[in-house]
């Protein structure tokens, strides 16, 4: 390229115009275009300055075409760079995936090998690889990692057993196909056999309970696990850890929660209810309701069992089961427990007269009335349903006591149709009914007043007022004259 400077573009063009006279028009334009392009490439002036110094329109068009061509070349180069970068990135990702897949294949190969130590190390690798990687779980299962891991459960080494158990546990997390494959290959029976052989090894038991929890989440596995003998093992584990709850370690608390959750999953399947009732699980659950750490899960399992006649009979057969459930209705600091306890009582009240009578004797009416006032929306609905069942049952009792003639209107006291002692007897019946109604009204009125007082004390506590705060006489007059339909606040 010729040497040139910024200020000599015009002189070059003029000199060329006067010196070359015999050249053709096409040759003139080609040479001129080349010189201008060289000048611009060396840092010459813009086409606007060249036009001011006498450049032709044709020359300007040639210059624009050259500049546009250069700009297109630059854009194409940038696009090419981007495509190359994306291609290199894709190649890097593909290479990374190939390396990960090669690692998984190597692990599975070691699992299938004869070297006992390498198999144990490979099981530990599977546990780590499948811990948080969903794709790794699927790939390991497709490569055939599950059968050798299940086969390792027959090992006599406790470390190999635990490594394979936790590897299987992680492979089943969030993968229903793996859960089904683990159960189908016979892992549940091997785990139960392992419990018998391991004896009192708590680490193995904890790992097996965790596996039963994960595997029981799949509906198709529930009847298989329930009929295998896993439920009695879970009940024994739960009972043992509930008994030692005061001095329980963190792992013991975890295995207790896992056992409860596994039993909840299994109790969803109706075919497992009879197996559950053969154990003393219902008694354990009812007596553990008072433990706030497990009360909600216990009530959840009872909610599953109460849906069947055998389950209701099993709950009713536990001593003080209904009074304990009635007591839960007053747990204002645990609305979830109130909702679940009211559900169990609602089903039992709807199905059995004997249970309704026990509920009334346990003082359920006052608890239900309070629940309809201050409970959650769901608890209020269920409490209302129970009250309806009790009211219908009471109506039947009254009908039976009067010979079933409530459909005929009673004689009016002092009417002309009543003669002798008949009118007096009719008046006595009406007075007795009025007396009963007045007693009920008094009870409801007293309950409403008590509920308002309790709410006021809660407001006082939330307002951080002094402890000796006493509601004013004005508030007392409001509560004494209020009804359930009209509250002062």
């Amino acid at each position: 390229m010729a040497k040139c400077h910024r200020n000599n573009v015009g002189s070059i063009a003029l000199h060329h115009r006067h010196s070359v006279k015999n050249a053709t028009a096409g040759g003139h334009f080609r040479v001129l275009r080349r010189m201008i392009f060289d000048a611009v490439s060396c840092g010459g002036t813009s086409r606007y300055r060249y036009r001011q110094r006498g450049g032709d329109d044709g020359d300007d068009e040639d210059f624009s075409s050259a500049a546009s061509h250069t700009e297109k070349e630059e854009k194409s180069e940038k696009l090419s760079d981007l495509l190359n970068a994306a291609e290199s990135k894709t190649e890097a990702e593909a290479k990374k995936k190939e390396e990960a897949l090669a690692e998984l294949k190597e692990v599975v190969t070691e699992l299938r090998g004869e070297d006992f130590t390498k198999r144990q190390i490979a099981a530990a690798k599977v546990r780590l690889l499948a811990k948080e990687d969903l794709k790794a779980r699927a790939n390991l299962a497709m490569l055939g990692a599950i059968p050798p891991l299940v086969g390792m459960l027959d090992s006599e080494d406790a470390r190999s057993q635990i490594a394979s158990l936790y590897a299987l546990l992680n492979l089943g997390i969030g993968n229903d196909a793996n859960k089904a494959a683990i159960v189908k290959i016979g892992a549940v029976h091997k785990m139960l056999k392992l419990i018998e052989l391991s004896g009192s090894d708590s680490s193995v038991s904890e790992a097996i309970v965790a596996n039963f929890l994960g595997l029981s989440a799949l509906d198709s596995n529930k009847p298989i696990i329930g009929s295998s003998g896993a439920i009695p093992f879970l009940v024994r584990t739960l009972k043992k850890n509930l008994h030692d709850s005061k001095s329980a370690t963190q792992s013991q608390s975890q295995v207790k929660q896992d056992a409860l959750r596994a039993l909840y999953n299994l109790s969803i399947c109706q075919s497992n209810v009879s197996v559950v009732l053969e154990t003393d699980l219902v008694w354990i659950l009812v007596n553990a309701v008072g433990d706030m750490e497990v009360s909600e899960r216990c009530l959840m399992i009872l909610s599953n069992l109460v849906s069947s006649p055998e389950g209701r009979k099993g709950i009713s057969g536990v001593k003080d089961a209904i009074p304990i459930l009635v007591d839960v209705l007053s747990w204002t600091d645990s609305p979830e427990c109130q909702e679940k306890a009211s559900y169990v009582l609602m089903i039992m009240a709807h199905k059995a007269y004997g249970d309704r009578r026990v509920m009334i004797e346990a003082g359920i009416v006052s608890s239900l009335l309070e629940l309809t006032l201050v409970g959650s929306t769901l608890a209020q609905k269920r409490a209302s349903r129970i009250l309806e069942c009790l009211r219908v049952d009471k109506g039947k009792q009254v009908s039976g006591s009067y010979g079933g003639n409530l459909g005929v209107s009673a004689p009016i006291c002092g009417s002309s149709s009543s003669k002798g002692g008949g009118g007096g007897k009719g008046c006595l019946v009406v007075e007795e009914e009025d007396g009963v109604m007045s007693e009920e009204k008094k009870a409801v009125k007293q309950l409403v007043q008590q509920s308002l007082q309790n709410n006021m004390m809660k407001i006082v506590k939330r307002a951080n007022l002094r402890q000796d705060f006493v509601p004013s006489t004005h508030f007392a007059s409001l509560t004494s004259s209020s009804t359930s339909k009209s509250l002062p606040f």
Side-chain angles (χ1 to χ4, degrees), residues 442-485:
K442 289 179 181 178
V444 172
K445 188 176 181 180
Q446 183 180 1
L447 181 62
V448 171
Q449 183 177 356
Q450 182 181 358
S451 177
L452 292 174
Q453 292 283 356
N454 292 336
N455 289 339
M456 187 62 187
M457 295 308 298
K458 291 178 182 178
I459 294 172
V460 169
K461 289 181 180 180
R462 287 198 294 266
N464 293 325
L465 297 177
R466 62 181 186 275
Q467 296 296 325
D468 58 346
F469 174 81
V470 179
S472 64
T473 56
H474 175 64
F475 176 76
S477 63
L478 284 174
T479 57
S480 62
S481 61
S482 299
T483 65
S484 59
K485 294 183 180 179

Side-chain angles (χ1 to χ4, degrees), residues 252-292:
Q252 289 175 331
S253 299
Q254 183 63 47
V255 74
K256 177 173 58 178
Q257 295 291 339
D258 290 347
L260 278 170
R261 292 165 65 189
L263 288 168
Y264 170 76
N265 289 342
L266 295 173
S267 65
I268 294 174
C269 181
Q270 289 299 313
S271 62
N272 292 334
V273 173
S274 58
V275 182
V276 170
L277 295 176
E278 291 175 359
T279 67
D280 55 350
L281 177 62
V282 176
W283 180 87
I284 295 172
L285 296 175
V286 170
N287 287 275
V289 167
D291 186 356
M292 297 304 296

Side-chain angles (χ1 to χ4, degrees), residues 166 169 205-214 216 234 237-238 241 250-266 294 297 301:
Y166 282 110
L169 174 65
S205 297
E206 291 172 6
I208 292 175
V209 170
N211 270 275
F212 284 160
L213 170 59
S216 63
L234 292 170
T237 304
L238 175 63
N241 286 275
Q250 185 177 0
S251 61
Q252 289 175 331
S253 299
Q254 183 63 47
V255 74
K256 177 173 58 178
Q257 295 291 339
D258 290 347
L260 278 170
R261 292 165 65 189
L263 288 168
Y264 170 76
N265 289 342
L266 295 173
V294 298
R297 296 198 185 279
I301 300 174

Side-chain angles (χ1 to χ4, degrees), residues 25-186:
H28 171 77
F29 288 134
R30 283 195 298 271
V31 174
L32 182 61
R33 182 179 63 185
R34 181 64 181 173
M35 294 177 67
I36 293 174
F37 182 76
D38 291 341
V40 172
S41 300
C42 294
T45 58
S46 65
R47 62 179 181 178
Y48 175 77
R49 290 185 179 181
Y50 175 70
R51 186 183 298 172
Q52 293 293 329
R53 295 184 182 183
D56 295 336
D57 293 340
D59 297 339
D60 183 58
E61 291 177 359
D62 291 338
F63 175 80
S64 299
S65 177
S68 176
H69 180 69
T70 304
E71 185 178 357
K72 288 181 180 179
E73 287 182 350
E74 291 178 354
K75 289 183 178 180
S76 63
E77 289 178 358
K78 291 181 180 179
L79 181 60
S80 178
D81 293 340
L82 291 174
L83 292 175
N84 291 333
E87 185 177 356
S88 61
K89 185 178 180 180
T90 305
E91 291 177 355
E93 291 178 354
K95 185 177 180 180
K96 186 177 180 180
K97 290 181 180 179
E98 290 178 359
E99 292 176 353
L101 186 60
E103 182 183 4
L104 297 180
K105 289 180 179 179
E106 183 180 357
V107 170
V108 174
T109 303
E110 292 177 354
L111 280 175
R112 293 174 176 174
E114 298 294 334
D115 192 331
F116 180 78
T117 304
K118 288 185 178 180
R119 291 177 64 188
Q120 182 178 335
I121 295 173
K125 287 183 180 179
V126 171
R127 177 184 178 181
L128 293 175
L129 291 171
K131 186 176 182 180
E132 296 179 354
D133 193 344
L134 187 62
K135 292 183 179 179
R137 296 169 198 157
N139 291 333
L140 284 167
M142 287 189 295
L143 292 172
I146 293 177
L149 287 172
V150 174
M152 288 180 65
L153 297 177
D154 297 328
S155 172
E156 296 180 357
D157 182 63
R159 290 179 297 178
S160 298
Q161 295 168 358
I162 293 173
S164 61
L165 283 170
Y166 282 110
L168 291 170
L169 174 65
N170 288 351
L171 285 174
I173 296 175
N175 193 310
D176 292 344
N178 289 358
K179 288 187 179 76
I182 292 170
V183 172
K184 187 176 181 180
I185 205 171

Side-chain angles (χ1 to χ4, degrees), residues 300-345:
M300 289 170 64
I301 300 174
L302 292 175
S303 299
N304 289 338
L305 298 177
V306 78
S307 59
S308 66
E310 299 85 357
R312 291 191 292 273
K313 186 177 179 181
I315 296 173
S316 301
V318 177
K319 184 181 179 181
D320 295 333
I322 292 179
I324 290 173
L325 293 172
V326 170
D327 183 63
V328 177
L329 298 179
S330 60
W331 292 3
T332 55
D333 57 340
S334 181
E336 294 83 5
C337 291
Q338 286 181 325
E339 293 171 357
K340 292 171 177 61
S342 61
Y343 175 78
V344 175
L345 292 169

